[in-house]
Amino acid sequence: MSPKSALRSKRLTDLTELLIGIGIVGLVLFIASFARVRVDLTSEQRYTLTPATKELVAGLEDVMYVKVYLTGELPADLKQLERATRDVLDEMRAANPDRIHYSFVDPSASPDDKTRREVYDQLQGQGLTYSSIRIKEKGGFSEKIVFPGALVTYRDKTVAVQLLKTQLRTPDADIVARSITNLEYELASAFRQATTRQRPRIAFLEGHGELSELETADISNALSALYDVSRVRIDGRIDALSSKNEVMRYRTNNYEALIVAKPDSVFSDRDRYVLDQFVMNGGRILWCIDAMDPRLDSLRKNQFSMATPRELGIEELLFAYGARINKDLVLDRSCAPIEIFTQPYGNQRKLERFPWYFEPVAVPQSAHPVVANIDPVHFRFASTVDTIGADSIRKTILLTSSPLSFAQRNPVRVSLGIVEVDPGFAKRSTPYLPLAVLLEGSFRSAYYDRLPTALISDPNVAYRERSPRTAQLVIGDGDVIGNRVDPAKGMYYMLGFDRYANAKIYGNRELIMNAINYLLDDRSLISIRSRAITLRQLDAPRVERERRTWQAINLGAPLLLTLLLGLAYHQHRRRANAAPPARRA
């Protein structure tokens, strides 16, 4: 065979092999297009839905349509939130392709200013909140209105879900990162709200000086997304929390859960009995109790006060259920700050910030789903909670003080001057004092062996000695559930908001939400919220410092690699063509 014929044959062979390879790859891709294979290689499985969400999505009986208004010209942080939202919706759609549909809409797409404002008003009317962001341009900065939220529609019901959780109009990177972590929870919660017809009932107790509607407005609104929330007064009425059917032996509760938020006056005997029988009939109670009165008016006026015990009358109930809130105040090195005017500086008083040891900040240490992966919880004048031996009751300590903390027994001197001295944490600390205790099991009535026989046998009273399996959560602080209020403006701040940081930094809101979810056996929402997703943020100073180096590498490396591969291929072809043809025998 001549050299030309051999070369022609070799090229034909190479071309044939190339066409066969392309055909095989095309066939594999064609077959793979009919198979759904999704592999999540992240360590925390961030692209994998929790079993609770998969079950929720798989159980949809009709189409769930999600319209997301987070798209268009956005800064990098919000673009990341947009991509994360697409990822979660894609995973949901993969779990049930026929029932999940979504679209992304830019509310600012219209060039007409009047049309844009009409769209903004319509979205706000449907429950979405806008954020104002600054976009850097060549000539300076420009303001842009974005609606980082979505409308979830199922049949005839539409639910607004805020994807970016902030009370501030301007988002920052940390808020966006937290929002990405909670995306699955927010969407799954909106799905639950859209598909649920009959919701559990929750009531805030009134009539004993509890926190007002405005002081609990934020957590009430958050709970209202999942439950029917109302307020109730007992006023000695036996049917205030339950009703009696003639056919049934025991009374039936009117609410699934009750919240007792910082009462400051004594409960009457009848009110205590009604509360006890609410528990005996399977009711759940969240107790947020101040055992001590710090007398803040005196503290503001005289720079010090004497904290004394609050006599509420519910101590016997809690003792019977397995908990005791002690008459003390916790001082903790891990605490919130306070601003105090110090010595005058020139002609003006100087405002300085100090650690305020009477406001502990508890960092959750437990892996229990109520406190797992939530931010530190802010307490104000908190008391310790002890567990008491009680039959068939399981006690779980959810929150504690830090290793550098101690409790002062009644009476307690509360003085602003403590910020200028060393309280002696190194010498007198009692580490990890319990601040919140979960009680689970079958509770025995606090009125066991205390009621007359005639009352016990009265069918209308329907006294019950022991409860079915239920749960209660006892927190030694009433302010843990109260949001800050601006009385002059008649407005409130988000629960967990810190006025010095001007942002929500504490996990009080998540604590209460998780607690109610858990008490009502809504474990699916807790499992979604308690998952941990690590967001690996770039080092901003290093990015700015090494920007040009990495830009040069990103531009030059592909070109250099392509050049080297081209040279290597050229050398390979030269050697192949220069090889002498095979000799015939």
Side-chain angles (χ1 to χ4, degrees):
M1 182 182 294
S2 65
K4 290 184 178 181
S5 299
L7 182 60
R8 190 180 301 112
S9 176
K10 188 175 186 306
R11 288 178 177 175
L12 182 61
T13 303
D14 292 342
L15 181 60
T16 304
E17 291 177 353
L18 177 62
L19 293 175
I20 293 175
I22 293 175
I24 293 174
V25 172
L27 181 62
V28 171
L29 292 177
F30 177 74
I31 296 174
S33 66
F34 294 97
R36 292 184 175 272
V37 179
R38 306 174 70 86
V39 181
D40 188 353
L41 300 179
T42 58
S43 59
E44 65 273 14
Q45 297 291 290
R46 73 168 65 182
Y47 300 109
T48 301
L49 300 178
T50 60
T53 303
K54 291 181 179 179
E55 181 180 353
L56 173 64
V57 173
L60 294 176
E61 299 177 353
D62 208 336
V63 173
M64 182 77 71
Y65 181 66
V66 184
K67 183 179 285 188
V68 185
Y69 292 92
L70 184 63
T71 189
E73 296 182 6
L74 301 172
D77 290 332
L78 291 182
K79 273 293 183 185
Q80 187 180 8
L81 180 60
E82 177 191 352
R83 288 192 296 270
T85 305
R86 288 183 185 272
D87 291 336
V88 174
L89 290 173
D90 283 339
E91 289 298 318
M92 290 180 169
R93 183 172 172 80
N96 195 343
D98 298 329
R99 293 286 188 263
I100 300 293
H101 297 281
Y102 69 86
S103 63
F104 280 72
V105 179
D106 183 4
S108 304
S110 176
D112 181 55
D113 183 66
K114 182 180 179 181
T115 303
R116 287 200 305 271
R117 292 187 178 277
E118 290 177 353
V119 173
Y120 296 162
D121 292 340
Q122 181 182 2
L123 293 179
Q124 289 189 83
Q126 291 178 296
L128 293 182
T129 304
Y130 73 88
S131 294
S132 178
I133 60 176
R134 299 181 69 192
I135 299 179
K136 187 176 182 179
E137 297 177 345
K138 292 183 179 180
F141 292 90
S142 64
E143 294 288 334
K144 182 179 177 64
I145 300 297
V146 297
F147 281 84
L151 294 177
V152 176
T153 302
Y154 184 78
R155 294 177 176 169
D156 59 344
K157 191 173 183 180
T158 299
V159 177
V161 53
Q162 203 68 26
L163 302 177
L164 183 68
K165 288 293 183 180
T166 175
Q167 195 173 16
L168 305 176
R169 290 300 187 189
T170 304
D172 58 28
D174 290 337
I175 292 174
V176 172
R178 295 176 190 274
S179 299
I180 291 175
T181 302
N182 292 325
L183 265 179
E184 183 183 344
Y185 173 83
E186 298 297 341
L187 289 171
S189 178
F191 285 14
R192 287 279 300 274
Q193 187 179 351
T195 55
T196 301
R197 298 300 174 184
Q198 186 174 359
R199 308 194 302 175
R201 298 154 300 178
I202 300 173
F204 282 83
L205 190 64
E206 292 184 328
H208 313 89
E210 290 87 355
L211 295 178
S212 66
E213 289 190 54
L214 189 60
E215 290 172 314
T216 57
D218 182 65
I219 193 62
S220 296
N221 292 337
L223 291 170
S224 296
L226 300 171
Y227 311 108
D228 288 335
V229 180
S230 59
R231 304 181 75 85
V232 63
R233 301 174 68 96
I234 300 178
D235 290 337
R237 295 178 292 115
I238 194 172
D239 59 349
L241 302 179
S242 61
S243 57
K244 178 66 169 65
N245 190 312
E246 294 181 358
V247 180
M248 301 183 66
R249 178 181 177 185
Y250 296 114
R251 305 184 71 87
T252 302
N253 286 336
N254 300 330
Y255 309 95
E256 278 70 36
L258 191 66
I259 298 176
V260 183
K262 196 182 176 180
D264 64 5
S265 58
V266 179
F267 285 68
S268 67
D269 289 337
R270 291 182 67 89
D271 285 3
R272 291 198 299 269
Y273 175 80
V274 172
L275 281 175
D276 176 79
Q277 288 303 292
F278 175 78
V279 175
M280 293 306 106
N281 288 308
R284 278 89 167 161
I285 299 183
L286 171 60
W287 304 88
C288 302
I289 306 297
D290 272 359
M292 300 284 286
D293 182 2
R295 304 183 183 276
L296 295 181
D297 291 339
S298 177
L299 180 64
R300 295 188 187 99
K301 181 178 179 181
N302 303 319
Q303 306 295 301
F304 77 93
S305 67
M306 294 300 296
T308 55
R310 291 186 190 271
E311 299 300 332
L312 301 175
I314 57 175
E315 293 80 9
E316 294 181 2
L317 295 182
L318 296 177
F319 191 89
Y321 302 149
R324 178 181 61 211
I325 303 179
N326 297 310
K327 306 298 183 181
D328 58 21
L329 288 180
V330 175
L331 282 77
D332 199 326
R333 185 67 179 270
S334 173
C335 60
I338 187 174
E339 288 186 345
I340 302 176
F341 283 104
T342 56
Q343 296 297 325
Y345 184 76
N347 295 327
Q348 295 184 353
R349 301 177 68 189
K350 188 178 180 182
L351 187 64
E352 293 189 54
R353 191 172 298 178
F354 299 93
W356 184 228
Y357 305 120
F358 288 100
E359 294 190 11
V361 175
V363 179
Q365 305 291 333
S366 172
H368 195 279
V370 171
V371 295
N373 302 318
I374 69 172
D375 291 324
V377 178
H378 181 203
F379 292 85
R380 297 182 66 206
F381 301 102
S383 299
T384 58
V385 182
D386 284 344
T387 57
I388 307 299
D391 296 339
S392 67
I393 302 300
R394 185 177 68 180
K395 301 103 176 174
T396 306
I397 297 176
L398 297 182
L399 290 171
T400 65
S401 62
S402 76
L404 295 176
S405 62
F406 61 86
Q408 284 191 336
R409 300 289 179 180
N410 164 58
V412 181
R413 178 183 172 87
V414 181
S415 172
L416 295 179
I418 196 174
V419 302
E420 299 177 350
V421 299
D422 181 11
F425 289 111
K427 297 180 180 179
R428 57 190 297 196
S429 287
T430 305
Y432 306 115
L433 295 169
L435 302 175
V437 175
L438 176 67
L439 309 174
E440 299 175 275
S442 176
F443 297 91
R444 172 172 283 184
S445 171
Y447 291 86
Y448 175 70
D449 279 348
R450 293 176 54 190
L451 298 177
T453 305
L455 186 63
I456 294 176
S457 59
D458 188 334
N460 187 50
V461 172
Y463 169 75
R464 195 164 185 169
E465 178 183 310
R466 184 173 287 275
S467 76
R469 182 170 180 79
T470 184
Q472 302 181 66
L473 177 57
V474 182
I475 302 177
D477 177 32
D479 294 296
V480 73
I481 196 174
N483 49 251
R484 289 191 176 274
V485 173
D486 187 339
K489 298 180 180 178
M491 63 172 290
Y492 64 90
Y493 295 90
M494 183 180 293
L495 183 58
F497 182 87
D498 181 76
R499 58 181 174 176
Y500 302 123
N502 198 31
K504 179 187 178 302
I505 62 175
Y506 300 117
N508 296 48
R509 197 175 201 255
E510 290 73 24
L511 169 69
I512 303 302
M513 288 295 296
N514 287 352
I516 296 299
N517 292 160
Y518 189 88
L519 291 177
L520 295 178
D521 289 327
D522 207 346
R523 309 297 171 85
S524 59
L525 288 179
I526 297 180
S527 67
I528 299 171
R529 187 190 284 277
S530 61
R531 70 179 306 189
I533 297 179
T534 304
L535 298 177
R536 297 166 178 84
Q537 301 290 331
L538 296 177
D539 187 344
R542 184 179 177 186
V543 168
E544 188 64 28
R545 186 173 62 251
E546 303 177 6
R547 178 188 298 273
R548 295 188 180 278
T549 302
W550 288 106
Q551 285 178 342
I553 292 175
N554 289 336
L555 291 174
L559 295 176
L560 181 61
L561 181 60
T562 303
L563 180 61
L564 292 176
L565 290 176
L567 290 175
Y569 180 74
H570 179 67
Q571 290 296 326
H572 172 72
R573 296 296 300 170
R574 285 188 59 184
R575 292 193 186 96
N577 293 335
R583 295 176 177 270
R584 289 187 178 182

